[in-house]
């Protein structure tokens, strides 16, 4: 009987059997970068050597920069962002420390390189944040509205992001929109 079947599926849903477990994220690791410099300082006496060392340390400190961010979306960095961070670390004179649990990112190195890395990292964080916001909006809209297209006399649902784009276009009275159907761009009116 269909009533028994409905109760059976409801019972399974209550126990959590119908829910798919979220995909396990494999931990991503940022390559460590360490560079050493050895100075040999010679002088007339111990005082001149100490002065030279103090001057060298002062110059190094003046050239060093630090950037720190505790942006929440650092937790959402995936392989693409890790590859970009590794590339920044290889191409610039910087070291990056990343803690996704906290979330925290620290960049240290030569000031001009730290500034360049900061700009790239903030751009990455903005992209990740906007993507997450769009996914959230798409999930909310898809719970209420489901746009469909007809293919071979069968109706198919658009994916969540396309569904959101179609709904936004409707609200803005946009008459045509290019969407992907079966991996091909199609003009939708």
């Amino acid at each position: 009987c269909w009533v028994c079947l409905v109760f059976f599926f409801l019972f399974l849903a209550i126990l959590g059997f119908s829910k798919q477990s979220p995909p396990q994220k494999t931990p991503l690791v940022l390559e460590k970068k360490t560079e050493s410099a050895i100075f040999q300082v010679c002088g007339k006496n111990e005082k001149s050597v100490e002065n030279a060392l103090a001057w060298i340390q002062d110059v190094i400190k003046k050239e060093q920069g630090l950037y720190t961010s505790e942006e929440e979306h650092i937790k959402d960095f995936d392989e693409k962002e890790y590859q970009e961070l590794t590339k920044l670390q290889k191409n610039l004179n910087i070291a990056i420390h990343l803690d996704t649990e906290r979330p925290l990112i620290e960049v240290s190195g030569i000031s001009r390189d730290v500034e360049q890395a900061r700009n790239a990292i903030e751009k990455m964080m903005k992209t990740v944040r906007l993507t997450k916001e769009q996914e959230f909006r798409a999930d909310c809209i898809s719970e209420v509205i489901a746009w469909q297209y007809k293919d071979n006399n069968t109706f198919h649902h658009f994916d969540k992001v396309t569904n959101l784009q179609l709904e936004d276009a409707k609200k803005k009275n946009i008459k045509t929109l290019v969407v992907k159907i079966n991996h091909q761009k199609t003009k939708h009116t």
Side-chain angles (χ1 to χ4, degrees):
C1 87
W2 68 273
V3 174
C4 296
L5 195 58
V6 168
F7 281 116
F8 177 72
F9 284 117
L10 183 60
F11 177 72
L12 288 177
I14 290 170
L15 292 178
F17 289 114
S18 67
K19 293 181 182 177
Q20 294 179 351
S21 61
Q24 293 291 324
K25 279 179 100 175
T26 55
L28 299 169
V29 178
L30 185 64
E31 291 180 22
K32 296 279 184 194
K33 180 179 180 180
T34 343
E35 291 184 18
S36 304
I38 298 173
F39 292 93
Q40 287 185 340
V41 181
C42 301
K44 294 178 188 176
N45 55 37
E46 192 175 331
K47 183 69 176 166
S48 63
V49 170
E50 287 174 4
N51 288 341
L53 286 173
W55 178 81
I56 290 170
Q57 289 174 340
D58 188 49
V59 168
I60 290 172
K61 283 181 186 175
K62 285 181 182 176
E63 281 296 313
Q64 290 294 303
L66 179 67
Y67 165 71
T68 304
S69 177
E70 295 184 48
E71 166 75 39
E72 187 65 28
H73 290 288
I74 292 170
K75 290 180 180 179
D76 299 318
F77 278 12
D78 61 16
E79 191 173 338
K80 178 184 170 194
E81 285 77 26
Y82 276 72
Q83 287 175 352
E84 181 64 26
L85 292 172
T86 300
K87 183 178 169 187
L88 286 170
Q89 207 168 229
K90 283 181 181 177
N91 295 336
L92 302 173
N93 288 314
I94 59 168
I96 300 175
H97 171 72
L98 185 64
D99 182 352
T100 55
E101 296 298 317
R102 230 173 121 184
L104 171 72
I105 189 165
E106 293 177 335
V107 181
S108 59
I110 297 175
S111 295
R112 68 177 179 273
D113 289 350
V114 169
E115 185 177 337
Q116 190 175 342
R118 181 199 72 213
N119 293 340
I121 290 167
E122 287 181 355
K123 186 176 178 182
M124 278 189 276
M125 288 187 296
K126 181 179 180 182
T127 301
V128 168
R129 183 178 60 251
L130 291 174
T131 301
K132 288 293 178 184
E133 288 172 2
Q134 184 181 39
E135 287 173 6
F136 177 75
R137 285 185 60 228
D139 286 339
C140 291
I141 290 289
S142 68
E143 293 291 322
V144 180
I145 300 166
W147 286 78
Q148 298 179 347
Y149 61 94
K150 191 174 184 179
D151 185 29
N152 294 333
N153 292 327
T154 306
F155 284 97
H156 302 277
H157 292 280
F158 284 101
D159 63 84
K160 291 178 183 180
V161 174
T162 305
N163 192 60
L164 174 66
Q165 291 170 344
L166 288 164
E167 190 59 25
D168 286 346
K170 180 183 177 217
K171 288 178 182 176
K172 294 175 183 174
N173 288 326
I174 297 173
K175 300 296 178 195
T176 58
L177 182 68
V178 176
V179 296
K180 279 189 177 181
I181 298 176
N182 297 329
H183 305 289
Q184 293 181 1
K185 292 184 177 183
T186 308
K187 190 180 263 188
H188 183 74
T189 54

